[in-house]
């Protein structure tokens, strides 16, 4: 009632709608902390994967007010954004990239004056209601750790979590955690599977040690062996040194073709999305089942093309790792998608105290799924195929997925904003 859970009982209830959940699982709506597909196209896909709250906390935005204004007309899921070091740095340094830096915003070393301007923009973003601060050190090789420290001090002062794409693997995460400890900043390491690669066990061990010592550090993974990013980004600045087999690990999203030296060069000039294959299933499973790892998609879709993690992340965990393999219990899997991400944010984003759990007064964000049928169906060639097994989704008390189908015209989602707003 009025978007909240008002009664939980084993007695008969009457209402406008009745859902027969016999043989199904009722869970809190899934919370995705790392979702780039912040568009109607993306929201319509992810809600059929059980997602009720989708947050873009890694790259984020430089203009928080405008970001929320653009979505004010209504969305099918709840939405929110961080103020991002990447877009702020791009704006200050005049980088012309559309999403990630393709020039000076990534490669140049910032002056003291530019760092001061970035700090002001980050503070402004927090005052406009940003949920967190976002960082992509792997995409900004010109950003020194001294610059990073200055930005983390802003997050520490506001007590918001910093969601960071680590550079430098195991040593990089160790150094980043040390700096966060020195300034007292809450830290969230995004996609540990991407950043840790085949060394993910050692990567996660560094985070585990920090947590055992009382530091506020958390992390997330997605359940796929391939990642995706912009081909024009700094991640590929050394592409001319690649071997033939390294080129073949890359798949062009727009066509599904595998790349070679010739077409890699062409596409790097034109720009666009590329899927990167290469991690083993063993490494993926280590990340998914680790007790500290939340589930987050790192999803992206645009004009009918994308990575299957946008449409299938949560269903794949519940179908493959919970049901088929038994690598996680059902409750462990659900906790990684609901309570853990809510708790990551709820100290400074009070709205999140009402999400990620089913209890009196909580937000009525709910998902009902068939544990015997839930599974992801999209592929690297076609990332637009919805999951199956998600029967009902309720956002703020309104049914938005009914018997597995999207209910057209119901835009029940609302903005999630930080407390400084």
């Amino acid at each position: 009632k009025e978007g909240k859970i008002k009664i939980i009982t084993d007695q008969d209830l009457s209402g406008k709608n009745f859902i027969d959940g016999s043989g199904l699982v009722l869970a809190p709506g899934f919370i995705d902390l790392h979702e780039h597909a912040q568009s109607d196209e993306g929201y319509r896909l992810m809600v059929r994967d059980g997602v009720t709250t989708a947050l873009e906390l890694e790259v984020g935005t430089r203009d928080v007010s405008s970001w929320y204004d653009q979505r004010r007309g209504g969305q099918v899921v709840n939405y929110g954004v961080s103020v991002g070091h990447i877009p702020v740095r791009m704006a200050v340094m005049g980088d012309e990239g559309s999403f990630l830096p393709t020039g000076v915003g990534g490669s140049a070393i910032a002056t003291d004056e530019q760092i001061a301007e970035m700090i002001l923009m980050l503070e402004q973003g927090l005052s406009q209601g940003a949920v967190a601060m976002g960082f992509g050190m792997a995409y900004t090789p010109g950003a020194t750790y001294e610059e990073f420290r200055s930005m983390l001090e802003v997050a520490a002062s506001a007590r918001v979590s910093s969601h960071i794409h680590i550079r430098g693997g195991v040593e990089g995460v160790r150094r980043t955690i040390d700096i966060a400890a020195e300034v007292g900043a809450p830290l969230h390491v995004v996609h540990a599977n991407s950043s840790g690669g085949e060394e993910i066990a050692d990567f996660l061990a560094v985070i585990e040690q920090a947590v055992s010592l009382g530091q506020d550090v958390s992390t997330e993974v997605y359940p796929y062996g391939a990642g995706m990013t912009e081909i024009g980004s700094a991640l590929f600045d050394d592409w001319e040194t690649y071997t033939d087999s390294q080129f073949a690990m890359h798949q062009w999203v727009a066509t599904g073709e595998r790349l070679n030296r010739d077409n890699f060069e062409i596409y790097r000039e034109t720009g666009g999305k590329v899927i990167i294959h290469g991690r083993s299933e063993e490494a993926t499973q280590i990340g998914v089942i680790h007790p500290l790892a939340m589930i987050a998609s790192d999803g992206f879709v645009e004009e009918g093309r994308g990575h299957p993690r946008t449409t299938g992340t949560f269903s794949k965990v519940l179908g493959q790792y919970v049901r088929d393999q038994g690598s996680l219990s059902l409750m462990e899997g659900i906790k990684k998608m609901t309570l853990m991400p809510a708790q990551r944010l709820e100290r400074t984003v009070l709205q999140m105290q009402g999400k990620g759990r089913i209890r009196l007064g909580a937000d009525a964000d709910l998902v009902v799924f068939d544990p015997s049928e839930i599974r992801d169906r999209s592929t690297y060639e076609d990332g637009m195929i919805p999951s199956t097994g998600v029967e009902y989704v309720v956002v703020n008390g309104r049914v938005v997925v009914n018997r597995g189908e999207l209910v057209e015209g119901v835009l029940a989602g609302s903005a999630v904003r930080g407390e400084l707003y």
Side-chain angles (χ1 to χ4, degrees), residues 365-387:
D365 293 340
L366 305 166
V367 58
V368 180
F369 63 90
D370 186 337
S372 66
E373 295 295 332
I374 193 166
R375 68 185 70 251
D376 68 316
R377 298 190 300 160
S378 55
T379 67
Y380 293 115
E381 289 70 36
D382 185 355
M384 304 293 288
I385 306 172
S387 297

Side-chain angles (χ1 to χ4, degrees), residues 159-234:
R159 298 305 302 160
V160 300
S161 57
S162 292
H163 295 241
I164 180 167
H165 182 153
I166 297 291
R167 71 178 179 218
V170 174
E171 288 307 312
V173 73
R174 182 176 289 114
R175 187 170 185 182
T176 300
I177 286 174
D178 287 346
I179 294 173
E182 291 166 9
V183 303
L187 189 70
H188 181 81
V189 177
V190 305
H191 53 45
N193 49 334
S194 284
S195 298
E198 294 302 298
E199 295 183 309
I200 189 169
D202 294 334
F203 190 93
L204 290 169
V206 175
I207 298 173
E208 191 172 358
Q209 181 182 26
V211 171
S212 72
L213 295 174
Q215 190 172 347
D216 187 357
V217 185
S218 57
T219 193
E220 68 186 46
V221 300
Y222 56 85
Y224 293 89
M228 187 178 78
T229 192
E230 291 272 1
I231 198 170
S233 75

Side-chain angles (χ1 to χ4, degrees), residues 62 84-96 104-106 108-122 147 151:
R62 69 180 179 89
H85 176 240
I86 290 176
V88 163
R89 197 175 203 271
M90 290 168 65
V92 168
M93 305 188 81
D95 190 285
E96 296 181 355
V104 292
I109 296 176
T111 65
D112 291 343
E113 290 76 14
Q114 288 171 327
I115 290 175
E117 188 175 354
M118 291 181 215
I119 289 172
L120 288 175
M121 292 180 69
L122 292 171
E147 176 183 333
M151 308 301 141

Side-chain angles (χ1 to χ4, degrees), residues 9-29:
T9 179
D10 57 4
Q11 304 300 309
D12 288 343
L13 290 169
S14 61
K16 295 180 180 178
N17 298 295
F18 177 82
I19 292 173
D20 183 356
S22 302
L24 307 178
V25 172
L26 169 66

Side-chain angles (χ1 to χ4, degrees), residues 161-333:
S161 57
S162 292
H163 295 241
I164 180 167
H165 182 153
I166 297 291
R167 71 178 179 218
V170 174
E171 288 307 312
V173 73
R174 182 176 289 114
R175 187 170 185 182
T176 300
I177 286 174
D178 287 346
I179 294 173
E182 291 166 9
V183 303
L187 189 70
H188 181 81
V189 177
V190 305
H191 53 45
N193 49 334
S194 284
S195 298
E198 294 302 298
E199 295 183 309
I200 189 169
D202 294 334
F203 190 93
L204 290 169
V206 175
I207 298 173
E208 191 172 358
Q209 181 182 26
V211 171
S212 72
L213 295 174
Q215 190 172 347
D216 187 357
V217 185
S218 57
T219 193
E220 68 186 46
V221 300
Y222 56 85
Y224 293 89
M228 187 178 78
T229 192
E230 291 272 1
I231 198 170
S233 75
L235 289 185
F236 304 111
D237 283 352
D238 62 345
W239 70 271
E240 293 180 346
T241 68
Y242 287 3
T243 64
D244 290 346
S245 60
Q246 285 177 297
F247 283 116
M249 291 167 58
H250 297 79
Q251 184 177 11
W252 192 236
V253 171
T255 63
E257 67 185 299
R258 291 295 184 121
L259 301 187
N260 54 45
R261 181 176 297 277
D262 293 336
N263 55 16
F264 192 100
E265 181 176 11
I266 292 170
Y267 292 140
R268 185 158 164 88
E269 287 295 322
T270 59
K273 302 294 187 296
V274 63
I275 291 173
I276 313 162
H277 297 269
R279 284 189 306 277
S280 65
E281 172 57 26
E282 180 184 9
T284 301
Q285 179 162 318
I286 287 171
V288 169
I289 70 175
H290 194 280
L292 291 181
M294 306 172 198
I295 302 301
S297 71
D298 192 12
F300 183 90
V301 64
E302 186 176 66
E303 298 180 354
R305 305 295 300 184
H307 191 292
R309 59 195 181 190
T310 301
T311 54
T313 286
F314 298 89
S315 295
K316 181 171 185 179
V317 171
L318 293 170
Q320 177 176 332
Y321 295 98
V322 171
R323 181 191 59 238
D324 297 344
Q325 296 183 6
S327 303
L328 291 170
S329 71
L330 179 62
M331 292 303 288
E332 287 171 335

